[in-house]
Amino acid sequence: MAVRRGGHGGVPLLLVHGFPCTSLIWSHNIEELAAAGFDVAAPDLRGYGDSDFAPDGFYDFAAFNADLTGLMDAFGWERAVVAGHDLGAMIAIDLATRHPGRVDRLVVLDDSMPDLPEAFAAAGIPPGTPKPAVYDYQRRQGLHADELVAELDTPSGGAVTSVSSSAIGCGARPARSVRLISRC
């Protein structure tokens, strides 16, 4: 996995690019964030930029987040502030859902927030408009994958009669090696 880095020993900050971008989208921010006290990592997601294509063929939230948690482990980060843009925002939300103990703060750019009425009410944020079903699907994929797979299972006579959660990318995958592409 190719990674742009800046600053070391500060507050861990993981910057996740969107589609069809690469980590280059963060290149003007890395140095400033490092100077502000962050230990910044902006990886190219699998199949993007200078990172290799997925050896297992998976490009789903579970695969991206297995890579990102592996990257955090490689840097010795227990927790990190995670900022995501566009598709990266959806990946960051999923990371916070699957691994809440790994995400210290979540920054979402250029994407809609999932509907979290209890959390919003506790923060004094008034209720918003209900979100599309995709957010419920994403949240359930991160928290209750097997239950969601059972609900989506095709009845007998269909092209698919049974699916396991690992078949749709809900299982953990080992992270690949980290390759530094620039240091600010």
Side-chain angles (χ1 to χ4, degrees), residues 91-184:
I91 293 167
I93 291 167
D94 188 71
L95 178 64
T97 302
R98 287 179 198 270
H99 308 283
R102 304 296 304 264
V103 178
D104 190 43
R105 299 279 190 274
L106 182 62
V107 181
V108 175
L109 306 164
D110 197 22
D111 194 74
S112 298
M113 283 298 298
D115 192 22
L116 304 170
E118 298 86 15
F120 289 174
I125 300 170
T129 349
K131 303 291 186 231
V134 69
Y135 294 104
D136 181 56
Y137 179 86
Q138 178 187 3
R139 187 166 190 246
R140 291 179 64 205
Q141 184 186 26
L143 293 175
H144 309 288
D146 290 330
E147 187 180 292
L148 182 61
V149 167
E151 189 177 310
L152 297 174
D153 196 12
T154 305
S156 296
V160 177
T161 55
S162 135
V163 179
S164 70
S165 59
S166 60
I168 63 166
C170 297
R173 293 183 187 76
R176 294 169 291 142
S177 63
V178 175
R179 181 172 66 245
L180 184 67
I181 55 177
S182 76
R183 181 178 309 283
C184 296

